[in-house]
Structure formats: C-alpha cells, structure tokens
C-alpha cells in the first residue's frame, strides 16, 4: 500500500493551551480513516494543519511526499478539503462558486466547464445550480462543499464532519459517495458519530487531549472493552432475584448486574469470565430452569462504550 | 499573477452582488459633486478648474474607503470562508493582493463616474486637462493608500464595524497630520525633525501638490511605499490571526 498522508509528531499550541500534542499517523491509498474524538480533542486543529490552513507549532505532515511546512501550496494542490460546516461564499451561485474553485485549481475553458459539470452531476446539484448558496438547505450546502473538494479529483481527501447536521438520507448519500471514492484515494473523515466509523471507515483513530489514544479497525477497538460479550436476560420482577443468584453460581459467569426497567421488568446483564461465549449456556439454563425470560440477547457493546472508556477512562455503563 | 486576478474577479463580483455597491457609488459621486458646488463654491470661483472638486477627496475617502475595505477579511473570518479560501492552492500574499486590487478597482469605477464633472468644466471653459488627469491619478492613488490601511484593519478583527472604525481613525490621522492645527500641538515641545516627519506623512499636503499640477516623484514613492507597508502588515495579520 502506498502511504499518501504521513503525520509526523504534529503539534499546535494556542498560547498555553496545547491543542494537538504530538500526533503521528499514516494513511495509505484505499484507506478511509475515521478520526474520532470528543469535541475539543484536536481533530479540527489537526486537519487544518494537514490542509495547510494553520501552521504547526511542531512536527509536520507530508501529503503525497510534499511537506506542508515547506511547501504548503504543493500540499494544498494534492488535497481536497472540506472545512467544518462547509463554509462557502453565500452571495455566489452554486455554478459561480464551483467555477471559481475550478479556476483557482488551474482549469480553464472547456476543461473547467467539464469539471464543474462532472461534480454537479455526481452530487446531484443540477436543480440548484443557479441559486445563491445562502438560500440552499444544509444538505445542499454540504454537497456544494463536497463538490468543491473533489472537483480536481485529488489523491487525498480530508473531510471535517461531512455528515454533521444532515438528515439520515443525506448522511447515507454522503457515506455512499465516500465509499465510492475510497478505492483510489486516501480519505480522512472526522466525526463524533460512531456509527459512521462502522459504516464507512476501514480504520479508526481515537484522539483526546491532542493525543492518539487508540488506532485500529472498529472490531479491534471493540475488543478493548472488558465485557464485550455480555448476555442480557429480561424477566419479571418476581423471578429476578432467584434467576440472578442462579446465573451467578455458574462457573463461566463473572458478574450479574440487575437493572429495574420502566415497565416493572428487570434486566440481568451477565458478563463472562474471559472471552467465553455465554449465549448457549444461558439460553439452555433459561429453558431447563424454567426461568420466565421475556427476552434473551447478546449485548454487543457499542463503539460508544469503547469511545467513552478510552477518552474518559470511565468504565462503560455497568448494567444499563 | 493568475491567482491574484482570479481572486480579484471574484471579489469585484462580490461587491456588485448586493445593491450596496450602487448605493456607495451614488453617495460618492453625489458627495464629490455637492462638496465641489456648495463648499468649494465651484461657480463663484469663476475658474475652469477642478481643484475645488478634488481637494475634498481625501476627506471623503476617510469615511468611504474604510467602508469599502471593511468586509474584505472580517467577513471571511466571521463566516469561516477564510478556511476555504486559504486551503486552495494559493498563498496569503496572492489572496491579500487580489482583494486589494478588487477594492481598488471598485474605487476606480466610482471615481470614473465623476467624469461628467470633467466634461462640464470643458464645456464651460478651457481648463488645464493635464492637471485634471494628474489629479484623477493622484486621487486614485490616495484611495489605494487608504485602502491598504483599511484592508490591514479588516484583517485584524472579525467585526466589520470595528474594522471600519479602526480604518477610519488611522486614515483620519494620516490626513490630519499635515494641518497646522495638528502640527502646532507638537511645535511647542517636539524637535523640528519630529514635526517635519509628522507633516511629511500627510496625505493632504502631497495630494494638494498633485491637484495643482506638481508632479513630484517623492510623492508617488511615498504613496506606493505606504501601500507596500500596509499590505505587508495585512499579510502578516491574516497569517497570524486566520485561525482565531
């Protein structure tokens, strides 16, 4: 795999505040890197430095072999960048704005029209092409932002929260677009929506306090949870205590947490010792012991829990 | 050069995207005329000259030029488009020069629309057209010098009103510095060289020479170095403040 983006000990301080504190990572062609972190973790600052908008306080980033500190214009020409909230000139029409971008990217005449036409078709902007950007809906504005970022077919794409504030259909469109382009580009997508990572990213990096805390696929990150294979059993209040003590006695069970539910039932969350799969044993026990279970299911710990565990150090909700 | 021109075209179009541009031009043309007729006593002079018309230009520019320049960077920072603009493959210098050029051309258009005054004096008498042409060039250069101040102030703040006030204050100081009223305040205690230095910064004195037909190279050097200085300061301001 060819390495397209190389971030090397990148840091940025604003006064005393160290927003980004020595981040290093690489992104190769064909990868979609999910850049995760709580608000204020340094995601946007890092992306702005790679995109040549902010000057790093230390370290550097290389895009397609060009150094952003030494040759910012060179890096910018290899990049497609969607700033957070996709700001664009409100008084321009979609067509005028995209033409301006195409011109600055070095296209003239027929080539320029062809480039604009291509992205307009690709992002479904045909209906709004002559409207001023400030009357467009949020979804259309985002698409205009995406259109300008891929107009020059860059080898590297950096998208800062591309689906933030969009409705589910629009989110789906943006994700399909990213997936479509993934094969021949290196793409960095920042987000705090974790489902997005599972939906489009081949790899995720979690940062917090300006540092990289975890780097791996969604599956790899999930196994970092101590209780990633819990089984939940929902049953009426009356039967709960007996069932709980029965499950606790099982050899493979580490702990049982009881949570009363709103409708008067109780949820038992049963966590295994080690990585044993409990499903078969618990369901057998439910049948044999005549436990009046209403529901039995595997509680796939969500990435949200992993995220909370890694970024705050807090254990995921024990029995929720 | 190509990139500068692309930015200039976009910015110039942005001026005319709203009716504000036309209102501004109407005010400029109206006021220059009104000043010449009512304050400059254009008819009572009984002279076929536009000196009374031009002599009020710097005073008008003190208020009008910062208004032209105020949005150039403040708006970009406020709306966040500065991030879009400066992640395109251009340098900050190109962006600043492109915007400056657009604003200067806009002022040039406003100035060009006062040409009926020029025609009028030619109908009424036979003025020295060389002097008038030099005055137009001088007025255009003074507008450029004020603009370079305005664009730097615009880069310092994300609030357009603050940019306007800062710009107007600095332009006002440069205009006033040649008046006796100001210089007398320094004559009492400051050494002669200081007083002369302050006087030499005056736009009024230098522009006055031009409207009388005096072509002095040092006046041109003064205005162009002033522009270079403020534009350089603007580039630094954009670079240091763009992320905040």
């Amino acid at each position: 795999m060819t390495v397209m983006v190389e971030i090397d000990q990148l840091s940025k301080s604003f006064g005393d505040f160290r927003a980004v504190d020595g981040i290093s990572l690489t992104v190769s062609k064909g990868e979609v890197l999910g850049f995760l972190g709580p608000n204020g973790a340094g995601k946007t600052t890092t992306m702005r430095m790679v995109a040549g908008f902010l000057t790093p306080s230390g370290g550097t980033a290389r895009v397609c072999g060009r150094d952003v500190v030494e040759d910012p214009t060179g890096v910018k020409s290899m990049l497609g960048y969607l700033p957070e909230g996709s700001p664009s000139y409100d008084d321009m029409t979609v067509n005028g704005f995209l033409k301006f971008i195409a011109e600055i990217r070095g296209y003239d005449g027929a080539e320029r029209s062809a480039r604009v036409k291509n992205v307009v078709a690709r992002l479904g902007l045909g209906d709004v092409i002559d409207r001023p950007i400030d009357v467009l809906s949020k979804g259309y504005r985002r698409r205009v932002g995406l259109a300008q970022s891929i107009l020059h077919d860059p080898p590297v794409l950096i998208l800062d929260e591309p689906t933030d504030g969009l409705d589910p259909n629009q989110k789906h469109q943006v994700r399909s677009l990213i997936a479509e382009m993934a094969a021949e580009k290196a793409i960095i997508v920042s987000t705090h929506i974790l489902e997005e990572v599972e939906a489009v990213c081949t790899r995720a990096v979690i940062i917090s306090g300006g540092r990289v805390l975890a780097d791996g696929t969604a599956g790899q990150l999930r196994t970092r949870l101590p209780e990633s294979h819990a089984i939940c059993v929902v049953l009426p209040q009356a039967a709960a205590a007996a069932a709980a003590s029965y499950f606790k006695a099982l050899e493979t069970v580490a702990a049982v947490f009881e949570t009363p539910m709103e409708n008067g039932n109780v949820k038992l969350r049963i966590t295994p010792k080690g990585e044993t799969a409990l499903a078969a044993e618990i369901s057998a026990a439910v049948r044999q012991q005549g436990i009046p279970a209403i529901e039995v299911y595997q509680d796939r710990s969500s990435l949200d829990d992993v995220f909370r565990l890694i970024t705050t150090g807090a254990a995921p909700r024990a029995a929720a | 050069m190509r990139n500068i021109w692309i930015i200039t075209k976009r910015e110039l179009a942005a001026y005319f995207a709203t009716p504000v541009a036309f209102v501004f031009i109407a005010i400029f043309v109206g006021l220059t005329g009104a000043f010449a007729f009512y304050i400059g006593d254009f008819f009572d002079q009984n002279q076929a000259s536009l000196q009374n018309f031009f002599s009020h230009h710097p005073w008008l520019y003190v208020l009008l030029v910062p208004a032209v320049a105020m949005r150039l960077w403040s708006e970009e920072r406020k709306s966040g488009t500065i991030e879009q603009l400066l992640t395109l493959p251009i340098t900050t210098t190109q962006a600043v020069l492109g915007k400056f050029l657009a604003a200067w051309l806009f002022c040039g258009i406003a100035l060009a629309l006062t040409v009926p005054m020029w025609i009028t004096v030619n109908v009424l008498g036979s003025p020295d057209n060389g002097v008038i042409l030099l005055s137009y060039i001088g007025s255009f250069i003074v507008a450029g010098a004020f603009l370079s101040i305005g664009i730097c102030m615009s880069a310092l703040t994300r609030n357009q009103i603050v940019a306007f006030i800062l710009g107007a204050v600095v332009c006002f100081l440069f205009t006033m510095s040649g008046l006796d009223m100001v210089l007398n305040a320094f004559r009492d205690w400051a050494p002669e060289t200081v007083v002369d230095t302050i006087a030499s910064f005056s736009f009024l004195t230098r522009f006055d020479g031009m409207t009388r037909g005096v072509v002095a190279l040092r006046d041109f050097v003064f205005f162009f170095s002033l522009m270079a200085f403020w534009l350089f300061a603007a580039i630094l301001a954009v670079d240091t403040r763009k992320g905040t």
Side-chain angles (χ1 to χ4, degrees):
Chain A
M1 282 199 296
T2 9
V3 173
M4 307 282 265
V5 182
E6 210 182 337
I7 300 177
D8 183 13
Q9 286 300 316
L10 202 61
S11 357
K12 179 77 187 173
S13 305
F14 298 105
D16 286 341
F17 174 63
R18 214 159 163 73
V20 175
D21 194 6
I23 284 187
S24 297
L25 54 94
T26 57
V27 189
S28 305
K29 188 174 169 181
E31 268 191 310
V32 180
L33 178 79
F35 211 49
L36 298 173
N39 290 327
K43 298 184 298 251
T44 296
T45 307
T46 305
M47 292 178 132
R48 282 178 171 176
M49 283 191 282
V50 180
F53 180 59
L54 292 179
T55 319
S57 310
T60 188
R62 279 174 289 275
V63 175
C64 303
R66 300 177 188 201
D67 191 302
V68 77
V69 176
E70 284 156 21
D71 179 19
T73 315
V75 166
K76 290 181 206 170
S77 66
M78 306 307 284
L79 267 184
Y81 178 59
L82 175 74
E84 191 175 6
S86 58
S88 31
Y89 294 109
D90 280 350
D91 48 17
M92 297 181 97
T93 62
V94 173
N95 194 33
F97 177 66
L98 292 176
K99 270 189 176 159
F100 164 68
I101 298 288
E103 236 181 321
I104 279 274
R105 293 278 182 195
Y107 303 113
D108 276 314
E111 171 83 19
R112 186 180 75 169
S113 314
R115 290 270 170 183
V116 172
K117 218 169 165 183
N118 177 285
V119 289
V120 164
R122 202 151 176 197
L123 286 143
L125 290 169
D127 294 339
V128 296
I129 186 96
D130 288 319
R131 287 200 209 151
I133 294 176
D134 63 351
V135 304
L136 297 185
S137 69
K138 212 168 184 177
Y140 269 121
R141 293 172 69 98
R142 191 63 46 87
R143 279 195 253 169
V144 171
L146 280 165
Q148 66 78 23
S149 70
I150 62 172
L151 187 129
H152 53 301
D153 197 21
V156 175
L157 262 184
I158 297 184
L159 310 174
D160 198 352
E161 309 213 341
T163 60
D164 186 44
L166 299 186
D167 71 34
N169 291 335
Q170 294 165 335
K171 278 183 187 170
H172 180 75
Q173 283 174 346
V174 170
R175 285 176 194 159
S176 333
L177 183 77
I178 294 173
E180 239 172 72
M181 297 185 296
E184 78 272 28
K185 296 187 195 305
I187 304 178
I188 302 180
V189 182
S190 88
T191 178
H192 50 238
I193 310 162
L194 292 140
E195 50 170 310
E196 197 146 295
V197 177
E198 311 222 37
V200 293
C201 299
T202 56
R203 208 177 109 212
V205 167
I206 298 183
I207 72 166
S208 181
R211 291 168 171 280
V212 174
L213 297 181
D215 185 346
T217 63
Q220 284 168 345
L221 293 181
R222 201 180 274 119
T223 57
R224 291 181 60 146
L225 270 188
E227 39 179 312
S228 53
H229 305 280
I231 301 286
C232 288
V233 178
V234 179
L235 68 181
Q237 174 93 54
S245 55
Y246 174 77
F247 289 132
K248 259 179 218 161
L250 292 175
E251 251 176 45
T252 45
V253 170
V256 176
F257 301 97
E258 285 184 54
T259 330
M261 294 171 76
E262 281 167 10
N263 55 11
N265 295 334
V266 173
K267 181 166 98 176
L268 300 181
R269 188 180 152 94
I270 305 152
T271 55
K273 286 179 182 154
E275 302 234 330
T276 346
L278 277 180
E281 201 176 345
I282 299 286
S283 57
V286 165
R287 256 176 282 122
Q288 285 159 18
Q289 299 298 312
I291 295 170
I294 300 164
E295 276 180 73
V296 178
Y297 58 90
Q298 168 113 45
D299 188 15
R300 283 174 58 86
S301 63
S302 68
L303 268 182
D304 283 315
D305 295 334
V306 183
F307 182 79
R308 287 191 50 214
L309 177 76
I310 292 174
T311 56
T312 65
R317 47 209 170 113
Chain B
M1 267 324 275
R2 182 193 144 87
N3 286 345
I4 295 176
W5 182 237
I6 297 169
I7 305 275
T8 301
K9 275 195 300 181
R10 200 208 76 76
E11 290 291 334
L12 201 55
Y15 275 116
F16 290 100
T18 61
V20 176
F22 300 100
V23 172
F24 176 88
I25 288 176
I27 289 176
F28 176 77
V29 174
L31 277 184
T32 48
F35 273 47
F37 286 111
Y38 293 106
I39 299 174
D41 289 332
F42 182 71
F43 289 123
D44 293 342
Q45 293 275 316
N46 268 326
Q47 280 177 17
S49 112
L50 283 182
Q51 211 198 319
N52 286 333
F53 165 72
F54 283 111
S55 62
H56 298 107
H57 279 194
W59 294 106
L60 276 174
Y61 287 155
V62 165
L63 287 180
L64 293 179
V65 167
V68 174
M70 65 181 184
R71 53 166 281 278
L72 288 173
W73 285 104
S74 303
E75 197 182 25
E76 294 264 0
R77 275 176 59 197
K78 186 150 204 165
S79 67
T81 46
I82 188 171
E83 193 174 350
Q84 172 78 71
L85 180 67
L86 295 182
T87 49
L88 293 171
I90 56 166
T91 61
T92 308
T93 308
Q94 288 169 341
V96 169
L97 290 181
K99 280 169 177 284
F100 171 72
L101 221 57
W104 207 8
L105 283 176
F106 179 76
C107 291
I109 292 168
L111 195 57
L113 289 172
T114 65
V115 162
M117 285 293 289
W118 192 354
I119 297 169
T120 308
V121 284
N122 270 290
V123 171
L124 297 175
S126 44
D128 186 339
N129 282 320
V131 172
I132 294 180
L133 180 66
L134 179 69
S135 302
Y136 264 112
I137 294 171
S139 177
F140 184 57
I141 290 174
V142 170
F146 278 162
L147 268 178
S148 65
I149 294 171
I151 196 172
C152 180
M153 297 305 149
S154 177
L156 287 176
T157 167
R158 33 195 318 154
N159 185 326
Q160 291 196 34
I161 306 299
V162 174
F164 170 75
I165 293 169
L166 285 176
V169 166
V170 177
C171 290
F172 184 64
L173 292 178
F174 270 100
T175 309
M176 290 287 284
S177 69
L179 297 183
D180 279 339
M181 190 173 83
V182 176
L183 294 177
N184 283 339
F186 288 93
R187 285 215 174 96
D188 295 340
W189 53 275
E192 192 65 15
T193 42
V194 173
V195 177
D196 285 347
T197 310
I198 294 170
S200 74
F201 274 109
S202 172
F203 282 24
L204 274 185
T205 326
R206 290 173 190 279
F207 180 59
D208 209 40
M210 290 183 188
T211 60
R212 288 173 203 280
V214 182
V215 187
L217 183 64
R218 57 187 173 147
D219 289 340
F220 285 94
V221 171
F222 168 78
F223 282 120
F224 281 107
S225 4
L226 201 82
M227 275 187 238
F229 170 81
W230 284 104
L231 287 174
F232 180 68
I235 293 165
L236 285 185
V238 170
D239 266 338
T240 51
R241 304 190 69 101
K242 61 190 175 184
T244 58

